[in-house]
Amino acid sequence: MKKIISMVLVVLLICPLLTACKNTNEGEPTTDELILRFNVKDGICYEENELNKAMVLYKKKYPNVNVIIEKEESVGGDTEAYYTKLKTDLMAGSGPDIIYTKDWFYIYNDLYKMQESGAFADLTKFIKNDKEFQIDNYNKTLFDSLKYNDKQYIIPATYQMPFFISTKEILKSHNIDMTKCSTSKKLLDELTAYWKRNKDVDNPANLFQYPRCMMFFHHYMGLNSFDNKNKTVDTSQDIFKQALDFWKLAYPYETKKTDVLFFKHKSQMIEEYFKSGKQATGFESYDYQGYFENISALSMIGEPVMTPWRDINGNIQVELSRGALISNHSKNKQNAWNFIKIMLGEESQSEMAFSLTGIPVRKSILTSLFKNNFKEGLQYGNVDGTTTTAKPIDEFYLNQFIEFQNQIKGAYIRFPVDREFFYEFIPYFEGKKSYNDCIKSAESMLKIYLSE
Amino acid sequence: MRIVENNKYSKASRLMILSLFALFVLLPIIYTITNSFMGADEISKYYSNDKQMMVHLIPDKFSLNAYYQMLFRRPDYLIKFWNSLGLTSIIVLGQVVISTLAGYSFAKFKFPGRDTIFFILIILMMMPYQVTLVSNYIVLDKMHLIGSYWAIILPAIFSPFGVFLMRQVIVTMPDELIEAAKLDGANQFRLLFRIVVPRNKGGIVALIILSFIDNWNMVEQPLVFLDNKYKYPLSIFLSQINQSEPGLAFACGVLAMVPVALLFVFFEKELIEGIGFSNLK
Amino acid sequence: MKIRHKETMTGILFASPFLVGFITFFVAPFIVSIFYTFTFGTGGTTFVGLKNYQSVINSSAFQLASYNTMRFILVGVPLIMTISLIFSLMLRQKFGGSSFFRSIFLYPMVVPVASTVMVFQVLFAETGILNGIYNAIGLPVQSWLNSDNAFGILIFLYIWKNCGYNMILLLSGLNAIPDDFYEAAHLEGANNWQCFRRITMPIMSPTFFFVFVISIINSFKSFREAFLLSGTMPHPSIYMLQHFMNNNFSNLNYQRLSVAALMIFLIIFALVFVLFVLRKKAGDVQL
């Protein structure tokens, strides 16, 4: 009898807690708030700067909505703590309405798994029913390839495309024929041949300016090496081994350099790396501004050649750069959706194209952006104080660029285990372990990771 | 029990085995301490990732550089030190009070459900913290405590380990003492303060030290429940600095050992006695 | 009757501050997390029945983690209890330096985890000290932390850290057995092993229980060392249930986390229950 009484007392104590927990999640949706959260890193709030235009326009269009911006500081570059707190808040049912993903988001968070957990809202209904939102303005393939289980959680805002850059003259002098590289296999053949020719040369010119981009080779090639949905790993394709063999050949040379810097726009660096013969090609995942500025800089030393890293079928895979998700238990989903629409509008996308975030997903502005910003040649300051004006970028490059965008067949998201996966092969590059051993340990590690 | 016979041979071999084991046990500690006295260039000479690391126990040049950097050039170290100290002291104090009361109750009083609750207590005590982390967060969020130190202090004060320990200690106290005191007319509180507490001082000291060690090293809860980097305790600082600056890591480790070592030195006798009693019956 | 009633009330009074806190911060969250194992979506919005359980139990990560955790407990706990028992038997008699040794063995507890990990990293890294010795002898260099040896290293760390504490416990238990018991047994012709079995073990069984419980708790704590040594995705041989839970926390999937937690709870429950039953059978009424 006494035992029963004590059990009942305990249950009575707990019930209010349970109901309290449940209630907050099914509250009435309020329509006068929008909560955003930004990370302030060492005094700079990058997200706020990127979304500046969108926020101004939003406040103008919806003056009744109270936009609350939570700013969290990560002192000393400790972004991981910021994401831990964000995740804990999301799990507890609080947290911002919109989650805006930035490049370092993908270092700490596995978006595939997070989508699986049901943390984000499915936006398919919004896309279908909202008359203001015209999917044709955007690259539909991009949207579709970012779906998870046929649900659209992520809305891409900008993306990046992988390119090899060089000039016709430099390529000729190194006997590299980029026009042959219409598929991944042919690209690898061409680059492997280059290194085979040059490995005994003194100070050979490199093909990549920073080696870590090789980590994502299976993404560029459109291989489905890790299938997050079916939790399988597939490394059996021949081209997979071919890519790794290429890197094994190139590894000692490409990784020797330690003084590589991001050169997106500085013509001096292009001169330093290309003119001096340090690079035969450069490789990077490009944004809109950087792409054309590099063409302009290269045009001062020759005829620029931009070659995308094509996938195994000859199409192009792009990397999601900035995107937005709406929290599943947000009470302001409609407000958040309105904000996303504005973020994908012409003005906001134009601003994002020129803040180094990526290539805007709104394809209708690509031409007008070019005409507004690159009509005249860009100017570069010289060491002696004078300025040189490069010739204006030929329209040929714009048309070629737009053609590339039409050849996009899929988009991928970087995720944290890419790096671990690649590191499993470093013993193979260094000759310490056999290929099959590396594959075995990589696959066993991945299997655990995917099935968690 | 005579597992070995008391002759010179076995005494010597026993001493040898024990000394070897003791050296083994102490080696990492000695290593940390001696390495903390090395200068920055020595550390990078011996501990860069590519080169082969060797046993480098005795510093080539005695240098206090690491300590100087820690104490004078890194203001956040001292902030975190006092954070840790304050946090841990409050937790230990609260835990001792609550656990002694509850331990006494579980040991010497009979009330309905006592044994069932104690059984559940043991099992929940053994669970790793990840089990309750998220739900704890939700509860604390409802109480609007996230971000303040109370989010860490409150769950730690009510940790079942303290009650377990105190209960085991107090249970060994002979009932006759209590009966005698009651016959003398003492009320419950008097009993508690005049008899129970002094008699089980060893257990209380043991709880103080063990609780201090546990909470001094706590890493995960502050990361999740606190939001401000300046509020972090020392343990987090230590784990982060291991990655970034190995040279300072040794000195930081030594400095982090100091409060615990001090407690040890002061209370060693009571500790050994205290742990001793905790298991009988 | 009146006295007993008053006593019960006092007992409840003394225990109540703890009970309130314990229920708020331990029992209730645990029950809430059980509730969440049956839902999907952050915030517990959709009821999905046993789907989470199916998914977790079928996942190879969970199976590996459970296997490793059980392996760690089944190897580590008996090992540490045997080692501490042997050493405490050695330290039982007061000889020159016994108290010195007793304090020495407690020192590993003083060192913060991060510092020990640092030392062990230096010891076991690719370019670490142990490999240096191997190099000198002529054996091939091994990758210690990234191989099956990682399990052994973790066990070693666990024993290193907790042996001293267990030893002190066992020692005080041993010291409490009066010497006359052994004198009498020897007079009747019992040898050392029989003394141990018939006298030491029964009297020490409450101590053994305590040490067993503490050792299991400490074995869970060794997750921290594994985490500091190898990060979130360690070598498969040391991938434990806490890694599984931690990573699911990182991926916002705390339904799976809660399922794993419930599994741990059931395992521990079974272990402790079995022990309780054994103890009752052995005749000891109290813990």
Side-chain angles (χ1 to χ4, degrees):
Chain A
M1 186 58 197
K2 285 191 187 148
K3 274 203 175 155
I4 299 178
I5 295 182
S6 38
M7 295 287 282
V8 169
L9 278 172
V10 167
V11 171
L12 278 178
L13 262 172
I14 295 174
C15 273
L17 273 166
L18 280 178
T19 46
C21 290
K22 239 181 159 262
N23 268 339
T24 41
N25 304 318
E26 294 161 10
E28 284 292 309
T30 58
T31 51
D32 56 358
E33 267 192 359
L34 179 65
I35 307 176
L36 298 163
R37 184 184 294 190
F38 297 142
N39 183 19
V40 177
K41 240 183 176 226
D42 295 324
I44 309 178
C45 186
Y46 294 93
E47 289 107 321
E48 189 178 33
N49 295 342
E50 289 167 18
L51 291 176
N52 191 34
K53 196 67 172 229
M55 287 199 290
V56 164
L57 289 172
Y58 186 82
K59 288 190 189 145
K60 227 192 328 191
K61 188 165 181 193
Y62 301 98
N64 294 327
V65 177
N66 178 20
V67 180
I68 303 175
I69 300 180
E70 301 171 350
K71 286 210 197 145
E72 301 276 339
E73 275 225 34
S74 10
V75 179
D78 184 12
T79 328
E80 186 160 13
Y82 168 75
Y83 286 115
T84 309
K85 176 149 205 297
L86 178 64
K87 287 191 267 207
T88 322
D89 280 341
L90 284 176
M91 270 194 278
S94 55
D97 295 312
I98 294 186
I99 296 121
Y100 177 68
T101 66
K102 211 181 150 346
D103 39 7
W104 48 67
F105 185 90
Y106 311 114
I107 303 180
Y108 299 108
N109 303 296
D110 186 338
L111 259 184
Y112 290 110
K113 288 201 181 166
M114 287 165 102
Q115 290 172 88
E116 202 176 14
S117 76
F120 307 122
D122 178 18
L123 302 175
T124 331
K125 265 194 310 180
F126 283 112
I127 295 181
K128 242 199 299 190
N129 299 338
D130 195 327
K131 305 258 178 3
E132 269 185 17
F133 184 79
Q134 300 286 344
I135 189 76
D136 295 322
N137 281 335
Y138 309 97
N139 201 323
K140 190 165 190 302
T141 329
L142 216 68
F143 275 73
D144 287 338
S145 58
L146 288 173
K147 283 192 183 167
Y148 185 84
N149 268 345
D150 283 332
K151 300 206 175 84
Q152 187 87 47
Y153 296 111
I154 304 177
I155 303 287
T158 64
Y159 59 94
Q160 289 174 321
M161 206 184 251
F163 280 103
F164 286 94
I165 70 172
S166 188
T167 65
K168 203 165 174 193
E169 295 78 12
I170 295 180
L171 286 176
K172 196 142 179 241
S173 74
H174 289 286
N175 261 325
I176 305 178
D177 187 1
M178 280 300 192
T179 59
K180 272 204 281 185
C181 303
S182 53
T183 66
S184 283
K185 182 168 193 331
K186 299 202 182 124
L187 174 74
L188 286 173
D189 288 339
E190 186 73 23
L191 298 181
T192 314
Y194 172 81
W195 274 117
K196 283 205 174 129
R197 286 196 302 266
N198 284 284
K199 58 183 174 149
D200 296 318
V201 166
D202 232 3
N203 275 333
N206 286 5
L207 300 172
F208 299 86
Q209 71 262 29
Y210 54 105
R212 69 173 170 82
C213 58
M214 266 307 279
M215 262 191 254
F216 308 104
F217 73 95
H218 58 97
H219 286 308
Y220 307 141
M221 298 202 290
L223 296 171
N224 240 345
S225 303
F226 354 142
D227 187 344
N228 282 279
K229 239 179 296 182
N230 302 325
K231 323 275 187 206
T232 52
V233 185
D234 182 13
T235 53
S236 61
Q237 302 103 328
D238 289 332
I239 192 150
F240 192 90
K241 182 156 202 300
Q242 185 181 1
L244 285 173
D245 282 336
F246 161 71
W247 198 244
K248 182 176 182 177
L249 180 61
Y251 184 79
Y253 310 99
E254 297 281 0
T255 51
K256 218 194 304 189
K257 285 204 327 268
T258 49
D259 59 342
V260 283
L261 301 158
F262 283 82
F263 61 90
K264 281 190 193 285
H265 318 286
K266 300 181 173 58
S267 70
Q268 297 100 319
M269 288 197 211
I270 291 211
E271 286 199 28
E272 187 189 311
Y273 283 98
F274 281 97
K275 242 186 171 174
S276 67
K278 271 197 199 165
Q279 303 278 151
T281 63
F283 177 81
E284 209 183 310
S285 246
Y286 276 98
D287 60 298
Y288 187 90
Q289 182 183 0
Y291 182 84
F292 287 110
E293 288 191 354
N294 270 323
I295 291 182
S296 166
L298 279 174
S299 69
M300 297 205 294
I301 58 173
E303 184 185 328
V305 173
M306 307 293 273
T307 322
W309 182 321
R310 293 183 181 276
D311 67 15
I312 46 181
N313 298 320
N315 301 311
I316 304 181
Q317 302 280 330
V318 296
E319 177 183 313
L320 176 68
S321 173
R322 306 295 194 259
L325 305 121
I326 300 185
S327 161
N328 202 12
H329 51 249
S330 149
K331 299 182 215 123
N332 309 308
K333 291 202 181 92
Q334 184 62 47
N335 290 345
W337 173 249
N338 292 337
F339 183 86
I340 290 183
K341 272 192 299 183
I342 291 186
M343 184 180 75
L344 295 180
E346 271 191 23
E347 291 163 22
S348 171
Q349 288 271 291
S350 304
E351 185 184 73
M352 288 177 108
F354 276 86
S355 46
L356 307 178
T357 63
I359 302 172
V361 81
R362 190 181 184 104
K363 56 184 185 181
S364 55
I365 58 167
L366 292 178
T367 313
S368 53
L369 263 182
F370 180 86
K371 295 220 160 80
N372 288 338
N373 290 288
F374 295 117
K375 211 166 17 164
E376 293 163 7
L378 298 175
Q379 297 201 322
Y380 299 99
N382 296 325
V383 179
D384 56 2
T386 58
T387 49
T388 323
T389 311
K391 57 178 195 237
I393 305 175
D394 202 305
E395 275 218 12
F396 162 75
Y397 291 105
L398 171 68
N399 296 331
Q400 186 191 48
F401 181 73
I402 303 225
E403 185 53 33
F404 287 146
Q405 308 314 307
N406 292 332
Q407 291 164 357
I408 295 176
K409 265 303 176 293
Y412 63 88
I413 309 175
R414 284 196 202 177
F415 56 116
V417 85
D418 277 327
R419 168 181 292 240
E420 316 275 345
F421 181 69
F422 190 71
Y423 282 177
E424 294 282 336
F425 292 102
I426 292 194
Y428 175 62
F429 302 147
E430 294 174 344
K432 292 190 189 156
K433 245 166 112 173
S434 83
Y435 179 73
N436 287 326
D437 280 342
C438 287
I439 288 273
K440 235 193 303 170
S441 71
E443 283 194 350
S444 74
M445 187 264 295
L446 262 187
K447 207 158 148 264
I448 300 176
Y449 179 80
L450 289 174
S451 70
E452 261 179 354
Chain B
M1 163 147 154
R2 305 214 168 101
I3 218 182
V4 287
E5 283 164 23
N6 252 341
N7 59 26
K8 257 204 303 207
Y9 239 176
S10 50
K11 262 194 185 161
S13 60
R14 179 172 59 185
L15 204 61
M16 211 172 64
I17 299 179
L18 282 173
S19 314
L20 213 64
F21 194 64
L23 191 65
F24 219 37
V25 162
L26 285 182
L27 206 61
I29 306 177
I30 301 178
Y31 197 87
T32 313
I33 299 182
T34 55
N35 271 295
S36 66
F37 289 115
M38 295 191 192
D41 29 333
E42 236 189 285
I43 297 272
S44 45
K45 193 164 78 153
Y46 284 104
Y47 292 112
S48 56
N49 264 327
D50 319 336
K51 299 202 207 104
Q52 178 66 51
M53 295 189 236
M54 295 169 287
V55 183
H56 193 66
L57 218 46
I58 312 200
D60 293 338
K61 201 170 74 143
F62 186 86
S63 143
L64 285 175
N65 177 51
Y67 289 100
Y68 170 68
Q69 294 278 345
M70 289 309 315
L71 291 174
F72 296 104
R73 294 295 199 79
R74 299 289 294 257
D76 47 343
Y77 173 79
L78 278 177
I79 298 178
K80 301 217 166 78
F81 182 82
W82 292 114
N83 283 347
S84 269
L85 202 58
L87 198 63
T88 317
S89 314
I90 299 181
I91 293 179
V92 168
L93 193 62
Q95 190 168 11
V96 164
V97 167
I98 293 192
S99 301
T100 314
L101 277 174
Y104 178 44
S105 160
F106 277 104
K108 294 294 181 191
F109 290 88
K110 280 190 173 45
F111 52 86
R114 181 190 72 168
D115 288 329
T116 326
I117 297 182
F118 195 63
F119 182 68
I120 296 181
L121 190 152
I122 294 183
I123 301 183
L124 281 183
M125 172 177 73
M126 302 212 279
M127 306 279 286
Y129 70 90
Q130 283 101 338
V131 169
T132 48
L133 186 65
V134 177
S135 346
N136 243 340
Y137 187 88
I138 298 180
V139 170
L140 289 166
D141 202 27
K142 292 280 170 326
M143 298 169 140
H144 300 288
L145 288 176
I146 294 291
S148 97
Y149 280 129
W150 288 106
I152 305 181
I153 296 177
L154 286 179
I157 290 185
F158 294 106
S159 157
F161 175 73
V163 176
F164 186 48
L165 182 68
M166 289 314 296
R167 188 255 184 204
Q168 299 294 78
V169 173
I170 296 179
V171 133
T172 69
M173 195 171 68
D175 288 332
E176 295 82 46
L177 270 170
I178 303 182
E179 297 299 323
K182 277 207 220 138
L183 282 175
D184 281 345
N187 69 15
Q188 288 297 349
F189 281 101
R190 251 227 191 133
L191 237 174
L192 185 65
F193 286 117
R194 291 293 173 85
I195 308 218
V196 177
V197 169
R199 168 86 192 187
N200 296 297
K201 203 165 47 150
I204 294 184
V205 168
L207 180 60
I208 292 180
I209 295 188
L210 292 175
S211 171
F212 191 89
I213 294 180
D214 243 349
N215 289 301
W216 182 254
N217 282 324
M218 163 172 64
V219 166
E220 297 84 3
Q221 287 91 327
L223 267 179
V224 176
F225 295 137
L226 291 177
D227 50 6
N228 184 347
K229 201 169 200 235
Y230 292 111
K231 287 195 186 151
Y232 282 169
L234 196 59
S235 39
I236 296 184
F237 183 77
L238 194 57
S239 51
Q240 286 172 342
I241 211 180
N242 267 359
Q243 317 293 342
S244 43
E245 295 165 73
L248 297 180
F250 289 120
C252 195
V254 169
L255 287 172
M257 276 196 252
V258 165
V260 189
L262 277 177
L263 264 183
F264 241 59
V265 165
F266 279 144
F267 291 119
E268 192 177 323
K269 182 156 152 288
E270 281 94 332
L271 173 69
I272 295 189
E273 276 179 44
I275 299 183
F277 278 123
S278 69
N279 57 76
L280 281 183
K281 273 239 237 87
Chain C
M1 267 312 278
K2 223 164 83 168
I3 302 175
R4 247 193 247 143
H5 188 253
K6 191 163 159 215
E7 270 201 20
T8 320
M9 288 315 293
T10 327
I12 297 184
L13 184 71
F14 279 170
S16 49
F18 168 70
L19 284 175
V20 167
F22 182 61
I23 292 182
T24 320
F25 296 109
F26 286 87
V27 178
F30 183 66
I31 296 186
V32 168
S33 69
I34 298 183
F35 172 70
Y36 280 135
T37 58
F38 296 108
T39 67
F40 171 79
T42 49
T45 41
T46 356
F47 185 77
V48 286
L50 291 175
K51 203 161 84 147
N52 283 330
Y53 286 91
Q54 267 180 327
S55 155
V56 169
I57 296 181
N58 284 331
S59 102
S60 55
F62 179 74
Q63 290 164 356
L64 178 68
S66 320
Y67 170 71
N68 279 334
T69 313
M70 285 313 310
R71 192 164 66 128
F72 192 83
I73 294 182
L74 289 175
V75 170
V77 172
L79 205 60
I80 198 177
M81 285 182 71
T82 320
I83 294 183
S84 6
L85 186 61
I86 294 180
F87 277 104
S88 44
L89 288 170
M90 271 201 233
L91 281 175
R92 186 186 193 246
Q93 287 153 312
K94 282 193 169 41
F95 58 90
S98 66
S99 46
F100 166 74
F101 280 116
R102 261 185 262 179
S103 6
I104 291 280
F105 291 133
L106 277 177
Y107 282 154
M109 281 167 47
V110 177
V111 185
V113 179
S115 304
T116 12
V117 166
M118 179 85 188
V119 174
F120 275 81
Q121 265 172 334
V122 166
L123 206 61
F124 289 109
E126 290 265 345
T127 48
I129 295 180
L130 205 56
N131 274 339
I133 299 180
Y134 264 47
N135 240 343
I137 312 181
L139 290 172
V141 161
Q142 297 222 31
S143 153
W144 295 100
L145 290 171
N146 219 357
S147 66
D148 291 328
N149 294 319
F151 183 75
I153 296 179
L154 209 61
I155 295 255
F156 179 70
L157 256 175
Y158 165 69
I159 296 182
W160 179 83
K161 185 145 204 247
N162 297 300
C163 207
Y165 182 51
N166 287 1
M167 266 201 278
I168 303 295
L169 283 170
L170 291 169
L171 206 55
S172 0
L174 283 174
N175 274 330
I177 307 175
D179 271 331
D180 350 332
F181 280 27
Y182 295 110
E183 304 269 352
H186 275 287
L187 280 176
E188 298 197 20
N191 65 18
N192 280 335
W193 172 247
Q194 282 171 323
C195 275
F196 182 70
R197 251 201 87 204
R198 294 300 170 85
I199 304 180
T200 319
M201 273 182 61
I203 302 189
M204 287 285 286
S205 66
T207 319
F208 283 148
F209 177 72
F210 190 78
V211 171
F212 180 78
V213 168
I214 295 289
S215 300
I216 294 186
I217 297 182
N218 287 330
S219 77
F220 282 129
K221 288 205 190 135
S222 64
F223 161 72
R224 198 178 279 168
E225 278 92 345
F227 186 73
L228 286 173
L229 277 174
S230 307
T232 54
M233 277 309 293
H235 186 265
S237 65
I238 52 174
Y239 179 81
M240 309 216 277
L241 275 170
Q242 288 103 316
H243 286 105
F244 181 84
M245 293 198 282
N246 218 35
N247 291 346
N248 270 310
F249 178 85
S250 252
N251 294 321
L252 297 181
N253 210 331
Y254 71 102
Q255 286 83 359
R256 289 170 80 91
L257 192 160
S258 308
V259 172
L262 188 62
M263 297 292 166
I264 294 188
F265 177 79
L266 292 173
I267 296 176
I268 296 182
F269 189 92
L271 271 172
V272 176
F273 189 72
V274 163
L275 233 81
F276 254 72
V277 165
L278 279 178
R279 307 253 5 273
K280 284 245 160 93
K281 268 202 183 156
D284 289 282
V285 177
Q286 269 202 330
L287 262 170

